[in-house]
Amino acid sequence: MILKTIIAGLFALLAQPGLAQIVVSPDGEIKSIKQAVEMAEPGAHILVEPGTYMESDIGIDKPLTLEGIDYPLIDGNSEGFIFVIAADSVTIKGFNIKRTGRSYVRDYAAIMIEGVKDFIIEDNRLEDVFFGIYLAETEGGVVRNNRVEAFDTREASSGNGIHLWSVKNPKIIDNEVMGMRDGIYLEFVDNAEIYGNTSNENNRYGLHYMFSDGGRYYDNIFRRNGAGVAVMYSDNVDMMNNLFEHNWGTAAYGLLLKDINYSKIEGNRFYRNTVAIYSEGTNEVHIHGNDIELNGWAVNIKSNSARNQFTENNFIENSFDVRTDSPRNNNEFEGNYWSQYEGYDLDRDGIGDVPYRPVSLFSMVITKQPESLILLRSMFIKLLDTAERIAPVLTPKTLYDENPKMDQIVR
């Protein structure tokens, strides 16, 4: 009897507003999430039962956990933000959120987090939003297993799925983002860990680094975006074991590098992109152990890129292996497999006896006369390329692989 009395007392205590747990329900005593947040004490757990809640600008200024049961829908009615988090240690999980405001002067987001640390945003479904999850001046924090989707196909009028500005040590894990401007966008971010995400069909980039140093992204999928990933004005970024595929179009890339230094690109697969890797102003980047298959251009490297190393990559049936814009070369290609290599291996050591020159004469002709692409598979072009590779006159004489592999490198 005494035990039953204690248990009943505890349940009664938890059910009271302002204490450890608050339940929000369309048919209950508390029908509004905003009202529950205002009533809750710091550290409270707010459970939201299934139903539709027409709410926006839900401000959270104390540590709280908000958890949806069976994905209750929060409909912002196209007005402003949905959640605005301005306190440390807040968790938002298990909600279906849609219809933020849209603006050309304000970045309305489904979940806005500003000036805080140690938050968790997980297992939410966001659709028809301007910005999805927006982090500004935060430290730490986890964004995990969320789905963000919008339907605006215009780059100028769409926002980013997961947007980070002036952030330190974030973790972006196992999210799916599609139909946004950039799937994941980083600006002035230090040491980001980004892995297990899928970024599809975004209007501009699947993942976009700007002025963001350190950290790494790995085991992600970037498919059918305007371009897969752009890493710009950043140093010491590791890019490992990602899949870049079907990023195809007149200005599309699997991976765009611009003014980055001291980084690593390793174990990735580039499959059917217009250009697998585009490099401009890039220095001391090690590109190692990647599979680069069936792309238009495998590598387009500008002459202002220097001291980059391409080692033990598989270049398989790309229309063009390497393109550059100068007869000079300041980069190293060593020990790669080239499916277009036609040399021989008399000593049977698995390495071609003559160097491979991956820049074809025809790729340079196309740079000046794009209409000549119609001649791509012709015998005349094949003869020209063969002659140029034997006795290079126009292509870079110093850009060659001294030790090309005879067989595809097995991982």
Side-chain angles (χ1 to χ4, degrees):
M1 177 63 77
I2 295 175
L3 182 60
K4 287 183 179 180
T5 304
I6 294 173
I7 293 174
L10 286 174
F11 274 105
L13 193 65
L14 292 173
Q16 291 181 26
L19 297 181
Q21 181 169 288
I22 297 174
V23 177
V24 182
S25 171
D27 303 321
E29 182 179 345
I30 302 171
K31 297 181 173 60
S32 163
I33 299 170
K34 187 179 291 185
Q35 179 189 0
V37 169
E38 291 172 354
M39 296 169 61
E41 296 291 338
H45 190 162
I46 297 174
L47 288 173
V48 181
E49 294 192 338
T52 299
Y53 302 84
M54 301 295 293
E55 299 194 51
S56 60
D57 295 322
I58 304 170
I60 301 175
D61 59 359
K62 66 194 94 172
L64 293 175
T65 295
L66 282 79
E67 181 177 359
I69 301 172
D70 294 334
Y71 294 97
L73 172 62
I74 306 176
D75 187 336
N77 198 30
S78 303
E79 297 175 354
F81 300 89
I82 307 294
F83 286 110
V84 179
I85 298 173
D88 296 344
S89 305
V90 171
T91 296
I92 304 285
K93 64 181 295 184
F95 289 95
N96 188 357
I97 302 172
K98 72 176 187 180
R99 292 206 302 167
T100 64
R102 291 180 179 272
S103 170
Y104 287 104
V105 295
R106 299 203 64 184
D107 294 342
Y108 289 127
I111 302 175
M112 177 77 189
I113 311 158
E114 186 168 10
V116 304
K117 61 184 179 181
D118 300 331
F119 53 87
I120 298 175
I121 309 299
E122 65 178 352
D123 299 330
N124 300 290
R125 300 169 181 172
L126 283 55
E127 61 178 301
D128 193 14
V129 294
F130 187 36
F131 283 74
I133 300 167
Y134 197 123
L135 281 59
E137 297 185 311
T138 64
E139 182 167 356
V142 177
V143 177
R144 178 171 55 213
N145 198 35
N146 301 282
R147 177 183 170 88
V148 186
E149 182 177 6
F151 310 102
D152 197 331
T153 58
R154 297 165 298 175
E155 181 179 317
S157 58
S158 56
N160 301 320
I162 301 173
H163 182 106
L164 298 88
W165 178 80
S166 189
V167 172
K168 295 180 179 177
N169 308 314
K171 291 187 177 180
I172 311 298
I173 309 168
D174 294 338
N175 300 284
E176 183 175 1
V177 186
M178 62 186 300
M180 309 297 294
R181 181 171 59 200
D182 290 343
I184 303 170
Y185 177 84
L186 289 76
E187 186 173 356
F188 302 113
V189 175
D190 294 335
N191 299 315
E193 287 275 328
I194 300 172
Y195 59 90
N197 302 282
T198 300
S199 193
N200 291 340
E201 301 180 24
N202 296 289
N203 298 320
R204 191 168 62 178
Y205 302 123
L207 170 64
H208 189 180
Y209 275 71
M210 291 290 284
F211 311 106
S212 297
D213 298 334
R216 56 184 180 164
Y217 68 89
Y218 56 97
D219 294 338
N220 302 284
I221 297 172
F222 305 104
R223 180 185 294 124
R224 293 192 176 89
N225 299 285
V229 175
V231 181
M232 301 180 177
Y233 311 107
S234 304
D235 295 340
N236 298 302
V237 179
D238 289 346
M239 314 166 217
M240 305 170 70
N241 303 327
N242 301 285
L243 172 61
F244 306 78
E245 68 174 2
H246 296 291
N247 299 291
W248 198 270
T250 54
Y253 310 96
L255 173 59
L256 165 64
L257 307 172
K258 182 172 175 56
D259 290 293
I260 79 161
N261 304 287
Y262 318 119
S263 297
K264 185 191 305 179
I265 301 169
E266 185 171 322
N268 303 282
R269 185 181 186 217
F270 298 86
Y271 180 74
R272 288 191 180 278
N273 303 282
T274 302
V275 179
I277 301 174
Y278 176 91
S279 169
E280 182 177 334
T282 298
N283 302 295
E284 299 195 34
V285 174
H286 195 186
I287 301 99
H288 173 81
N290 302 282
D291 292 333
I292 307 173
E293 307 173 53
L294 293 168
N295 302 280
W297 280 269
V299 175
N300 185 347
I301 187 165
K302 299 299 184 185
S303 56
N304 58 0
S305 297
R307 301 181 301 282
N308 301 292
Q309 298 175 312
F310 293 79
T311 60
E312 298 189 7
N313 301 287
N314 285 317
F315 290 88
I316 303 168
E317 297 185 25
N318 301 289
S319 297
F320 301 100
D321 285 326
V322 177
R323 175 180 179 179
T324 188
D325 59 349
S326 169
R328 294 181 300 173
N329 170 54
N330 298 310
N331 305 284
E332 178 184 350
F333 291 79
E334 177 68 23
N336 302 283
Y337 169 74
W338 309 87
S339 63
Q340 298 189 57
Y341 179 61
E342 295 178 341
Y344 43 85
D345 180 20
L346 295 180
D347 57 4
R348 305 282 185 182
D349 64 352
I351 298 174
D353 293 344
V354 294
Y356 177 63
R357 300 184 182 280
V359 179
S360 71
L361 176 63
F362 190 46
S363 72
M364 302 187 72
V365 172
I366 287 176
T367 302
K368 296 182 178 180
Q369 296 293 334
E371 297 80 5
S372 62
L373 188 62
I374 194 173
L375 302 172
L376 175 62
R377 306 296 180 191
S378 71
M379 180 59 70
F380 175 68
I381 294 300
K382 187 175 178 61
L383 289 172
L384 277 180
D385 276 341
T386 301
E388 177 68 15
R389 278 174 172 148
I390 294 172
V393 176
L394 299 176
T395 58
K397 295 180 181 178
T398 58
L399 200 163
Y400 59 86
D401 190 333
E402 180 73 26
N403 296 296
K405 295 285 196 301
M406 293 300 295
D407 298 314
Q408 186 172 329
I409 301 165
V410 178
R411 309 295 179 200

PDB file of all heavy atoms in Angstrom, residues 14 38 75 95 98 104 117 122 154 198 214 219 228-229 260 283 309 353 378 381 389 410:
ATOM      1  N   LEU A  14       4.922  14.240 -11.798  1.00  0.00           N
ATOM      2  CA  LEU A  14       5.439  14.413 -13.159  1.00  0.00           C
ATOM      3  C   LEU A  14       4.417  15.041 -14.087  1.00  0.00           C
ATOM      4  O   LEU A  14       4.764  15.700 -15.062  1.00  0.00           O
ATOM      5  CB  LEU A  14       5.884  13.056 -13.711  1.00  0.00           C
ATOM      6  CG  LEU A  14       7.106  12.437 -13.029  1.00  0.00           C
ATOM      7  CD1 LEU A  14       7.348  11.028 -13.554  1.00  0.00           C
ATOM      8  CD2 LEU A  14       8.342  13.297 -13.241  1.00  0.00           C
ATOM      9  N   GLU A  38       7.016  27.766 -22.098  1.00  0.00           N
ATOM     10  CA  GLU A  38       6.959  28.878 -21.135  1.00  0.00           C
ATOM     11  C   GLU A  38       6.745  28.364 -19.718  1.00  0.00           C
ATOM     12  O   GLU A  38       7.271  28.929 -18.754  1.00  0.00           O
ATOM     13  CB  GLU A  38       5.847  29.841 -21.535  1.00  0.00           C
ATOM     14  CG  GLU A  38       6.140  30.603 -22.825  1.00  0.00           C
ATOM     15  CD  GLU A  38       4.942  31.412 -23.305  1.00  0.00           C
ATOM     16  OE1 GLU A  38       3.858  31.281 -22.697  1.00  0.00           O
ATOM     17  OE2 GLU A  38       5.094  32.157 -24.290  1.00  0.00           O
ATOM     18  N   ASP A  75       3.181  22.999 -38.045  1.00  0.00           N
ATOM     19  CA  ASP A  75       2.989  23.737 -39.296  1.00  0.00           C
ATOM     20  C   ASP A  75       3.180  25.221 -39.010  1.00  0.00           C
ATOM     21  O   ASP A  75       2.407  25.830 -38.272  1.00  0.00           O
ATOM     22  CB  ASP A  75       1.576  23.462 -39.824  1.00  0.00           C
ATOM     23  CG  ASP A  75       1.353  24.056 -41.204  1.00  0.00           C
ATOM     24  OD1 ASP A  75       2.053  25.029 -41.570  1.00  0.00           O
ATOM     25  OD2 ASP A  75       0.485  23.531 -41.927  1.00  0.00           O
ATOM     26  N   PHE A  95      10.109  15.299 -34.536  1.00  0.00           N
ATOM     27  CA  PHE A  95       9.031  16.162 -35.033  1.00  0.00           C
ATOM     28  C   PHE A  95       8.981  16.158 -36.559  1.00  0.00           C
ATOM     29  O   PHE A  95      10.000  15.986 -37.236  1.00  0.00           O
ATOM     30  CB  PHE A  95       9.237  17.605 -34.552  1.00  0.00           C
ATOM     31  CG  PHE A  95       8.988  17.787 -33.078  1.00  0.00           C
ATOM     32  CD1 PHE A  95      10.040  17.739 -32.178  1.00  0.00           C
ATOM     33  CD2 PHE A  95       7.703  17.987 -32.590  1.00  0.00           C
ATOM     34  CE1 PHE A  95       9.826  17.896 -30.823  1.00  0.00           C
ATOM     35  CE2 PHE A  95       7.477  18.144 -31.226  1.00  0.00           C
ATOM     36  CZ  PHE A  95       8.533  18.101 -30.336  1.00  0.00           C
ATOM     37  N   LYS A  98       7.045  21.748 -40.980  1.00  0.00           N
ATOM     38  CA  LYS A  98       6.955  22.245 -42.354  1.00  0.00           C
ATOM     39  C   LYS A  98       6.468  23.696 -42.388  1.00  0.00           C
ATOM     40  O   LYS A  98       5.939  24.226 -41.430  1.00  0.00           O
ATOM     41  CB  LYS A  98       6.040  21.375 -43.189  1.00  0.00           C
ATOM     42  CG  LYS A  98       4.564  21.486 -42.872  1.00  0.00           C
ATOM     43  CD  LYS A  98       3.763  20.641 -43.860  1.00  0.00           C
ATOM     44  CE  LYS A  98       2.265  20.846 -43.709  1.00  0.00           C
ATOM     45  NZ  LYS A  98       1.498  20.044 -44.658  1.00  0.00           N
ATOM     46  N   TYR A 104      13.685  37.437 -48.587  1.00  0.00           N
ATOM     47  CA  TYR A 104      14.949  37.781 -49.243  1.00  0.00           C
ATOM     48  C   TYR A 104      15.873  38.541 -48.295  1.00  0.00           C
ATOM     49  O   TYR A 104      16.998  38.852 -48.636  1.00  0.00           O
ATOM     50  CB  TYR A 104      14.685  38.605 -50.505  1.00  0.00           C
ATOM     51  CG  TYR A 104      14.124  37.771 -51.632  1.00  0.00           C
ATOM     52  CD1 TYR A 104      12.771  37.837 -51.960  1.00  0.00           C
ATOM     53  CD2 TYR A 104      14.929  36.903 -52.364  1.00  0.00           C
ATOM     54  CE1 TYR A 104      12.247  37.065 -52.990  1.00  0.00           C
ATOM     55  CE2 TYR A 104      14.421  36.128 -53.390  1.00  0.00           C
ATOM     56  CZ  TYR A 104      13.084  36.217 -53.704  1.00  0.00           C
ATOM     57  OH  TYR A 104      12.563  35.443 -54.719  1.00  0.00           O
ATOM     58  N   LYS A 117      25.659  26.015 -26.921  1.00  0.00           N
ATOM     59  CA  LYS A 117      26.489  24.823 -27.083  1.00  0.00           C
ATOM     60  C   LYS A 117      25.750  23.593 -26.564  1.00  0.00           C
ATOM     61  O   LYS A 117      24.714  23.702 -25.896  1.00  0.00           O
ATOM     62  CB  LYS A 117      27.810  24.987 -26.350  1.00  0.00           C
ATOM     63  CG  LYS A 117      27.654  25.198 -24.852  1.00  0.00           C
ATOM     64  CD  LYS A 117      29.007  25.445 -24.203  1.00  0.00           C
ATOM     65  CE  LYS A 117      28.836  25.671 -22.705  1.00  0.00           C
ATOM     66  NZ  LYS A 117      30.133  25.947 -22.035  1.00  0.00           N
ATOM     67  N   GLU A 122      17.801  15.789 -33.577  1.00  0.00           N
ATOM     68  CA  GLU A 122      17.844  14.468 -34.202  1.00  0.00           C
ATOM     69  C   GLU A 122      16.454  13.928 -34.502  1.00  0.00           C
ATOM     70  O   GLU A 122      15.462  14.294 -33.876  1.00  0.00           O
ATOM     71  CB  GLU A 122      18.597  13.482 -33.320  1.00  0.00           C
ATOM     72  CG  GLU A 122      17.941  13.173 -31.990  1.00  0.00           C
ATOM     73  CD  GLU A 122      18.716  12.151 -31.188  1.00  0.00           C
ATOM     74  OE1 GLU A 122      19.682  11.572 -31.719  1.00  0.00           O
ATOM     75  OE2 GLU A 122      18.367  11.939 -30.005  1.00  0.00           O
ATOM     76  N   ARG A 154      14.730  26.828 -57.774  1.00  0.00           N
ATOM     77  CA  ARG A 154      15.502  28.029 -58.122  1.00  0.00           C
ATOM     78  C   ARG A 154      16.545  28.306 -57.035  1.00  0.00           C
ATOM     79  O   ARG A 154      16.205  28.430 -55.861  1.00  0.00           O
ATOM     80  CB  ARG A 154      14.578  29.228 -58.275  1.00  0.00           C
ATOM     81  CG  ARG A 154      13.560  29.071 -59.408  1.00  0.00           C
ATOM     82  CD  ARG A 154      12.465  30.096 -59.268  1.00  0.00           C
ATOM     83  NE  ARG A 154      11.732  29.926 -58.013  1.00  0.00           N
ATOM     84  CZ  ARG A 154      10.786  30.738 -57.577  1.00  0.00           C
ATOM     85  NH1 ARG A 154      10.462  31.786 -58.286  1.00  0.00           N
ATOM     86  NH2 ARG A 154      10.177  30.511 -56.428  1.00  0.00           N
ATOM     87  N   THR A 198      23.496  11.904 -46.745  1.00  0.00           N
ATOM     88  CA  THR A 198      23.155  11.794 -48.164  1.00  0.00           C
ATOM     89  C   THR A 198      22.612  13.142 -48.621  1.00  0.00           C
ATOM     90  O   THR A 198      21.663  13.660 -48.029  1.00  0.00           O
ATOM     91  CB  THR A 198      22.095  10.702 -48.398  1.00  0.00           C
ATOM     92  OG1 THR A 198      22.618   9.445 -47.956  1.00  0.00           O
ATOM     93  CG2 THR A 198      21.752  10.607 -49.868  1.00  0.00           C
ATOM     94  N   GLY A 214      40.246  22.676 -40.994  1.00  0.00           N
ATOM     95  CA  GLY A 214      40.292  21.505 -40.133  1.00  0.00           C
ATOM     96  C   GLY A 214      39.090  20.597 -40.333  1.00  0.00           C
ATOM     97  O   GLY A 214      38.217  20.830 -41.159  1.00  0.00           O
ATOM     98  N   ASP A 219      32.377   9.103 -45.722  1.00  0.00           N
ATOM     99  CA  ASP A 219      31.250   8.166 -45.828  1.00  0.00           C
ATOM    100  C   ASP A 219      29.939   8.874 -46.151  1.00  0.00           C
ATOM    101  O   ASP A 219      28.856   8.473 -45.684  1.00  0.00           O
ATOM    102  CB  ASP A 219      31.089   7.374 -44.518  1.00  0.00           C
ATOM    103  CG  ASP A 219      32.270   6.454 -44.252  1.00  0.00           C
ATOM    104  OD1 ASP A 219      32.966   6.105 -45.213  1.00  0.00           O
ATOM    105  OD2 ASP A 219      32.507   6.104 -43.078  1.00  0.00           O
ATOM    106  N   GLY A 228      28.724  18.300 -56.758  1.00  0.00           N
ATOM    107  CA  GLY A 228      28.713  17.451 -55.571  1.00  0.00           C
ATOM    108  C   GLY A 228      29.168  18.192 -54.331  1.00  0.00           C
ATOM    109  O   GLY A 228      28.393  18.399 -53.392  1.00  0.00           O
ATOM    110  N   VAL A 229      30.442  18.586 -54.308  1.00  0.00           N
ATOM    111  CA  VAL A 229      31.018  19.272 -53.153  1.00  0.00           C
ATOM    112  C   VAL A 229      31.916  20.395 -53.654  1.00  0.00           C
ATOM    113  O   VAL A 229      32.646  20.234 -54.639  1.00  0.00           O
ATOM    114  CB  VAL A 229      31.853  18.303 -52.291  1.00  0.00           C
ATOM    115  CG1 VAL A 229      32.554  19.043 -51.159  1.00  0.00           C
ATOM    116  CG2 VAL A 229      30.979  17.190 -51.722  1.00  0.00           C
ATOM    117  N   ILE A 260      42.531  25.962 -51.687  1.00  0.00           N
ATOM    118  CA  ILE A 260      42.659  25.183 -50.453  1.00  0.00           C
ATOM    119  C   ILE A 260      44.073  24.615 -50.372  1.00  0.00           C
ATOM    120  O   ILE A 260      44.769  24.477 -51.389  1.00  0.00           O
ATOM    121  CB  ILE A 260      41.616  24.062 -50.321  1.00  0.00           C
ATOM    122  CG1 ILE A 260      42.006  22.862 -51.168  1.00  0.00           C
ATOM    123  CG2 ILE A 260      40.237  24.529 -50.683  1.00  0.00           C
ATOM    124  CD1 ILE A 260      41.286  21.626 -50.728  1.00  0.00           C
ATOM    125  N   ASN A 283      46.953  23.783 -53.345  1.00  0.00           N
ATOM    126  CA  ASN A 283      48.363  23.474 -53.107  1.00  0.00           C
ATOM    127  C   ASN A 283      48.524  22.410 -52.031  1.00  0.00           C
ATOM    128  O   ASN A 283      47.811  22.418 -51.017  1.00  0.00           O
ATOM    129  CB  ASN A 283      49.117  24.735 -52.658  1.00  0.00           C
ATOM    130  CG  ASN A 283      49.009  25.840 -53.682  1.00  0.00           C
ATOM    131  OD1 ASN A 283      49.500  25.722 -54.796  1.00  0.00           O
ATOM    132  ND2 ASN A 283      48.325  26.907 -53.321  1.00  0.00           N
ATOM    133  N   GLN A 309      49.745  15.894 -55.170  1.00  0.00           N
ATOM    134  CA  GLN A 309      50.217  14.552 -55.493  1.00  0.00           C
ATOM    135  C   GLN A 309      49.044  13.628 -55.793  1.00  0.00           C
ATOM    136  O   GLN A 309      48.151  13.472 -54.955  1.00  0.00           O
ATOM    137  CB  GLN A 309      51.015  13.974 -54.327  1.00  0.00           C
ATOM    138  CG  GLN A 309      52.264  14.761 -53.989  1.00  0.00           C
ATOM    139  CD  GLN A 309      52.942  14.219 -52.744  1.00  0.00           C
ATOM    140  OE1 GLN A 309      52.304  13.978 -51.722  1.00  0.00           O
ATOM    141  NE2 GLN A 309      54.241  13.998 -52.850  1.00  0.00           N
ATOM    142  N   ASP A 353      56.402   0.091 -68.740  1.00  0.00           N
ATOM    143  CA  ASP A 353      57.806   0.397 -69.009  1.00  0.00           C
ATOM    144  C   ASP A 353      58.004   1.788 -69.609  1.00  0.00           C
ATOM    145  O   ASP A 353      59.130   2.278 -69.657  1.00  0.00           O
ATOM    146  CB  ASP A 353      58.382  -0.654 -69.969  1.00  0.00           C
ATOM    147  CG  ASP A 353      58.449  -2.017 -69.298  1.00  0.00           C
ATOM    148  OD1 ASP A 353      58.350  -2.063 -68.058  1.00  0.00           O
ATOM    149  OD2 ASP A 353      58.582  -3.026 -70.018  1.00  0.00           O
ATOM    150  N   SER A 378      36.438   9.680 -83.108  1.00  0.00           N
ATOM    151  CA  SER A 378      36.884   9.445 -84.474  1.00  0.00           C
ATOM    152  C   SER A 378      38.311   8.913 -84.519  1.00  0.00           C
ATOM    153  O   SER A 378      39.125   9.151 -83.635  1.00  0.00           O
ATOM    154  CB  SER A 378      36.789  10.745 -85.284  1.00  0.00           C
ATOM    155  OG  SER A 378      37.787  11.645 -84.838  1.00  0.00           O
ATOM    156  N   ILE A 381      41.146  11.682 -84.556  1.00  0.00           N
ATOM    157  CA  ILE A 381      41.528  12.225 -83.239  1.00  0.00           C
ATOM    158  C   ILE A 381      42.395  11.235 -82.481  1.00  0.00           C
ATOM    159  O   ILE A 381      43.371  11.597 -81.817  1.00  0.00           O
ATOM    160  CB  ILE A 381      40.257  12.570 -82.433  1.00  0.00           C
ATOM    161  CG1 ILE A 381      39.504  13.714 -83.119  1.00  0.00           C
ATOM    162  CG2 ILE A 381      40.616  12.953 -81.003  1.00  0.00           C
ATOM    163  CD1 ILE A 381      40.306  15.001 -83.258  1.00  0.00           C
ATOM    164  N   ARG A 389      51.264  11.912 -77.718  1.00  0.00           N
ATOM    165  CA  ARG A 389      51.759  11.242 -76.510  1.00  0.00           C
ATOM    166  C   ARG A 389      53.168  10.675 -76.744  1.00  0.00           C
ATOM    167  O   ARG A 389      53.984  10.626 -75.833  1.00  0.00           O
ATOM    168  CB  ARG A 389      50.803  10.132 -76.098  1.00  0.00           C
ATOM    169  CG  ARG A 389      49.616  10.685 -75.312  1.00  0.00           C
ATOM    170  CD  ARG A 389      48.576   9.659 -74.995  1.00  0.00           C
ATOM    171  NE  ARG A 389      47.574  10.222 -74.091  1.00  0.00           N
ATOM    172  CZ  ARG A 389      46.306   9.883 -74.077  1.00  0.00           C
ATOM    173  NH1 ARG A 389      45.851   8.985 -74.936  1.00  0.00           N
ATOM    174  NH2 ARG A 389      45.475  10.437 -73.224  1.00  0.00           N
ATOM    175  N   VAL A 410      43.548  -2.950 -56.657  1.00  0.00           N
ATOM    176  CA  VAL A 410      42.493  -3.559 -55.824  1.00  0.00           C
ATOM    177  C   VAL A 410      42.559  -2.953 -54.435  1.00  0.00           C
ATOM    178  O   VAL A 410      43.614  -2.879 -53.811  1.00  0.00           O
ATOM    179  CB  VAL A 410      42.685  -5.087 -55.756  1.00  0.00           C
ATOM    180  CG1 VAL A 410      41.618  -5.710 -54.863  1.00  0.00           C
ATOM    181  CG2 VAL A 410      42.653  -5.688 -57.159  1.00  0.00           C
TER     182      VAL A 410
END
